[in-house]
Amino acid sequence: MPPLTRLARYEQQMAQACSHAEWREAAEAHDRHSGAAGWQQRDASARYDFRSVRKRLTQLRALREAGDNAGLLYTLNEGVHGNLDGMGNSALYRRARYGTKQLIHDYVAEVIAVLEHLASPAADDLPWPVRHDFFERASACYGRSALMLSGSGSLFYFHVGVVKALWEQQLLPNVMCGSSGGALVASIAGTHTDDELVRMFEPGFLLAEVRRETSLWQRMSALRPSSISPAGVRDMVERLVPDLSFQQAQALTGRRINISIAPAERHQTSRLLNAIASPSVCLREALLATMAVPGILPPVMLMAKGPQGERLPYLESRRWVDGSVSDDLPTKRIGRLYAVNHFVVSQTNPLVLPFLRAATGGGSGALGRYRKALRRITLEVVDANLAALQGPAQRHPALERWVTMTRSVINQRYTGDINIFPDYRLVDPRKLMRLRSEAEVLALIRSGERATWQQLEMVRLQSAIGRTLDDIRSRRIGQALPSATATA
């Protein structure tokens, strides 16, 4: 076997890294020897308007150094958004293994420095109501990020690695949404404090959970309703997630959990459960509902916390099932509820991963565009034929359910602004509900971490300004507003 080239050796080190620090060291070495590091230092690229970004960066630096706070505010009022002059173009993050153009790094850092400066006493020559109004408008216009965790079956361990990697780098969005296994991981992260998550993300704790669930997954592996114990699923949920309502969980951790569920009955619509739309609903029953794969686990009735904390039926006549069936990634609803306009997606849905791989692998040239257009046309033709079949299928309930579910799968959106996919060698639809060995579980978690490490700088840069605005509004404005108002 021929010896590895230097770049291949760095790629091997990245693939075998056990920490983000190890991965980053190998990635930066790869960039130095591939020429990508030099590309990062040069402003020029056809992928964004680098001249405009450089001009704006120079202007902000000059105004801040001169102490011209009114000028800074005026300049920022011209627009604070994540895709300024094309800086959010995902192609800018594919040339180097770690990071992108240094100009983009510098510009984001300068905007953050200016925002912090304007929120500090150094800008007291500007009336506080004026600054307060700016931060409110800027936050509304810039928006924020959300983490979307897809349906997954036993691939939910990949989501664990994604959340762990983001959390360790303090990049875990406060808004999280999941269906099926993704909802379980979002709920674990959203119901435990940071101190508790330190313990829960330890490999020993995760492996102990795997061993506890061995009998459960073995029963589920046959894919027969009679072989599965709903009590076993409930036991797992109750052990991992405290008995809290959505509102109580948000008050405890500040993280906003969203769970997608689908109706078991006809003529009903899917729902997104959260502290805004359903504050009193109990998380545990919401999880049991979204994990109820049709034909494998029975539909679930939701429960809620009553005025005295007692558990009461919620929509007693309704039953709910796996949310990934009808709305795996409810981005439109999340956007409306939380002013989210930037989505980080951890996608492990085995029903759609093969198609997503083809869709994202077409390239950006003319041939790639033709391939993507052909795939869109093919899906539209399939959907049109299924729509024509839906009327006659009403005489056959099983066929009607299949047609409805297939159309729902075809017409959903499964990607976001930043997409994190598992190693396709770990994805086997035949193992969707089967027992995973300890080695497979660790491989899935590590795969989630490594896949996230590759995207970390993109997540960091594209969410940094939004996180800063949220922090200023919650931390500094809350402290400064009373005194400023009194002075006014």
Side-chain angles (χ1 to χ4, degrees):
M1 186 175 181
L4 292 174
T5 64
R6 180 177 292 180
L7 290 180
R9 189 164 61 250
Y10 292 138
E11 290 168 3
Q12 184 182 71
Q13 290 172 2
M14 285 186 282
Q16 297 174 350
C18 293
S19 69
H20 176 250
E22 289 181 11
W23 184 91
R24 176 176 177 174
E25 182 179 0
E28 289 180 328
H30 189 286
D31 288 339
R32 287 194 297 271
H33 289 91
S34 70
W39 172 87
Q40 289 174 310
Q41 296 302 317
R42 297 188 294 272
D43 290 356
S45 171
R47 304 293 186 183
Y48 74 124
D49 188 346
F50 61 91
R51 295 182 181 86
S52 177
V53 176
R54 171 59 70 182
K55 179 180 178 181
R56 193 169 175 83
L57 172 59
T58 302
Q59 184 180 21
L60 287 173
R61 280 178 173 169
L63 291 169
R64 186 160 66 93
E65 290 171 1
D68 186 351
N69 296 324
L72 284 172
L73 197 62
Y74 179 84
T75 302
L76 288 181
N77 265 315
E78 292 178 345
V80 178
H81 54 85
N83 196 26
L84 177 75
D85 296 316
M87 289 195 311
N89 190 337
S90 60
L92 289 167
Y93 295 83
R94 291 197 289 264
R95 176 66 176 84
R97 296 302 178 95
Y98 187 82
T100 183
K101 292 288 189 180
Q102 187 61 44
L103 173 60
I104 296 176
H105 286 266
D106 292 344
Y107 177 78
V108 170
E110 182 61 29
V111 170
I112 290 172
V114 169
L115 291 172
E116 295 283 8
H117 171 79
L118 290 174
S120 72
D124 279 350
D125 57 309
L126 296 175
W128 177 252
V130 172
R131 289 184 283 162
H132 175 266
D133 177 66
F134 163 74
F135 287 126
E136 291 295 317
R137 286 185 291 100
S139 181
C141 293
Y142 191 89
R144 54 187 49 83
S145 299
L147 175 64
M148 313 292 285
L149 305 173
S150 73
S152 58
S154 62
L155 291 173
F156 78 87
Y157 292 108
F158 178 85
H159 291 323
V160 173
V162 172
V163 171
K164 181 174 184 285
L166 291 171
W167 177 76
E168 287 178 342
Q169 295 297 312
Q170 299 182 328
L171 292 175
L172 183 64
N174 283 332
V175 178
M176 295 181 291
C177 180
S179 59
S180 190
L184 176 62
V185 177
S187 296
I188 291 172
T191 57
H192 294 85
T193 64
D194 286 342
D195 289 341
E196 291 171 330
L197 288 179
V198 170
R199 176 182 64 86
M200 298 188 76
F201 282 141
E202 285 293 327
F205 177 88
L206 296 171
L207 281 176
E209 283 302 316
V210 173
R211 297 184 184 112
R212 286 193 184 101
E213 301 313 322
T214 296
S215 60
L216 170 65
W217 288 110
Q218 284 174 334
R219 289 194 296 273
M220 297 178 77
S221 66
L223 296 179
R224 295 191 303 271
S226 60
S227 68
I228 299 169
S229 167
V233 181
R234 176 177 285 276
D235 178 68
M236 176 181 68
V237 169
E238 290 180 351
R239 190 170 60 252
L240 294 175
V241 178
D243 185 17
L244 300 172
S245 68
F246 281 90
Q247 189 174 50
Q248 289 171 331
Q250 184 170 317
L252 176 67
T253 67
R255 300 185 181 103
R256 301 165 182 180
I257 307 168
N258 297 262
I259 294 179
S260 181
I261 58 174
E265 302 90 354
R266 290 178 59 189
H267 308 304
Q268 299 296 321
T269 57
S270 61
R271 293 208 175 194
L272 185 64
L273 304 175
N274 48 58
I276 297 175
S278 50
S280 62
V281 169
C282 298
L283 270 168
R284 286 176 173 176
E285 277 70 29
L287 282 172
L288 292 173
T290 196
M291 294 171 70
V293 180
I296 299 178
L297 287 169
V300 174
M301 179 180 70
L302 299 176
M303 299 294 289
K305 294 290 184 76
Q308 307 302 321
E310 71 276 23
R311 294 170 62 83
L312 301 171
Y314 185 85
L315 298 174
E316 190 171 0
S317 64
R318 303 291 180 216
R319 299 295 184 271
W320 306 90
V321 296
D322 185 356
S324 61
V325 171
S326 59
D327 207 357
D328 197 24
L329 302 177
T331 52
K332 289 184 179 178
R333 297 183 185 183
I334 292 292
R336 287 195 301 267
L337 286 170
Y338 303 103
V340 166
N341 56 8
H342 183 255
F343 295 93
V344 181
V345 173
S346 177
Q347 180 55 262
T348 61
N349 192 323
L351 297 177
V352 300
L353 274 175
F355 304 101
L356 293 179
R357 184 181 189 183
T360 56
S364 57
L367 182 59
R369 289 192 292 272
Y370 282 125
R371 286 174 177 171
K372 292 174 183 177
L374 180 60
R375 279 190 289 269
R376 285 197 300 270
I377 293 171
T378 302
L379 288 176
E380 288 176 5
V381 170
V382 171
D383 183 54
N385 282 283
L386 289 172
L389 182 61
Q390 203 151 22
Q394 290 179 357
R395 296 190 294 271
H396 306 280
L399 177 60
E400 183 188 21
R401 285 195 297 271
W402 179 85
V403 170
T404 300
M405 184 179 300
T406 303
R407 290 196 69 199
S408 176
V409 170
I410 288 175
N411 291 311
Q412 288 186 55
R413 175 185 176 184
Y414 292 98
T415 57
D417 300 284
I418 299 176
N419 301 295
I420 304 173
F421 299 125
D423 184 335
Y424 289 96
R425 292 171 295 183
L426 299 173
V427 178
D428 185 346
R430 296 170 299 176
K431 293 184 177 181
L432 176 59
M433 304 299 289
R434 292 186 180 180
L435 171 69
R436 295 279 179 168
S437 68
E438 293 183 12
E440 286 178 312
V441 168
L442 288 178
L444 280 168
I445 294 173
R446 186 62 75 191
S447 174
E449 289 184 278
R450 292 190 183 115
T452 307
W453 293 339
Q454 296 172 31
Q455 308 274 29
L456 270 182
E457 283 307 291
M458 190 174 180
V459 174
R460 192 189 311 276
L461 286 171
Q462 295 191 2
S463 65
I465 295 174
R467 285 184 284 110
T468 300
L469 286 166
D470 281 347
D471 179 65
I472 288 172
R473 291 173 66 241
S474 64
R475 176 171 51 87
R476 292 185 172 87
I477 291 180
Q479 296 170 356
L481 188 56
S483 61
T485 303
T487 303

